[in-house]
């Protein structure tokens, strides 16, 4: 769900206990927090205090992260590099 959210340019909150920490760069293209009610509430409050230009920047970074790492084209390019290193293609 993180990648899908980021592909739409949404501010995404991910769990520090799962893959969120490997996908999201906290405070750059989303937020990573502990999966507790208190931590999630604190993160939502932090988001609500962002200035409009910070929100715009974070949404843009989320979309860019998706495009550079997780889009179809990016994944195909990554596989091509692996295959080339293995001398399969």
């Amino acid at each position: 769900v993180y990648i899908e959210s980021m592909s739409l340019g949404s501010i995404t909150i991910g769990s520090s206990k799962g893959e969120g920490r490997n996908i999201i760069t906290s405070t750059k293209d989303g937020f990573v927090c502990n999966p507790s009610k208190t931590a999630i509430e604190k993160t939502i409050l932090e988001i609500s205090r962002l200035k409009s230009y910070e929100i715009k920047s974070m949404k843009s970074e989320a979309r860019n992260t998706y495009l550079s790492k997780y889009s179809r084209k990016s994944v195909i390019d990554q596989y091509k590099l692996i295959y080339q290193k293995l001398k399969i293609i």
Side-chain angles (χ1 to χ4, degrees), residues 47-81:
I47 293 168
S48 73
R49 292 180 176 153
L50 292 174
K51 295 179 174 44
S52 61
Y53 73 89
E54 293 171 312
I55 291 170
K56 186 176 180 178
S57 175
M58 189 171 288
K59 288 180 170 188
S60 178
E61 287 293 335
R63 178 76 177 149
N64 289 338
T65 296
Y66 164 76
L67 290 172
S68 68
K69 294 182 179 179
Y70 305 108
S71 68
R72 179 182 297 158
K73 180 188 179 319
S74 176
V75 171
I76 289 169
D77 290 344
Q78 291 173 46
Y79 273 111
K80 283 181 180 178
L81 286 174

Side-chain angles (χ1 to χ4, degrees), residues 14-17 32-40 43:
S15 171
S16 62
K17 302 293 183 191
V32 177
C33 68
N34 289 321
S36 69
K37 181 181 176 191
T38 304
I40 295 168
T43 301

Side-chain angles (χ1 to χ4, degrees), residues 3 5 8 12 19 21 27 31 33 35 40-41 58 62 64-65 68 74-75 83 89:
I3 295 169
S5 177
L8 298 173
T12 305
E19 286 303 308
R21 66 178 182 247
T27 70
F31 289 87
C33 68
I40 295 168
E41 287 173 346
M58 189 171 288
N64 289 338
T65 296
S68 68
S74 176
V75 171
Y83 292 151
I89 60 171

Side-chain angles (χ1 to χ4, degrees), residues 4-26:
E4 290 85 350
S5 177
M6 294 171 80
S7 76
L8 298 173
S10 298
I11 295 177
T12 305
I13 301 173
S15 171
S16 62
K17 302 293 183 191
E19 286 303 308
R21 66 178 182 247
N22 297 322
I23 296 170
I24 300 166
T25 303
S26 198

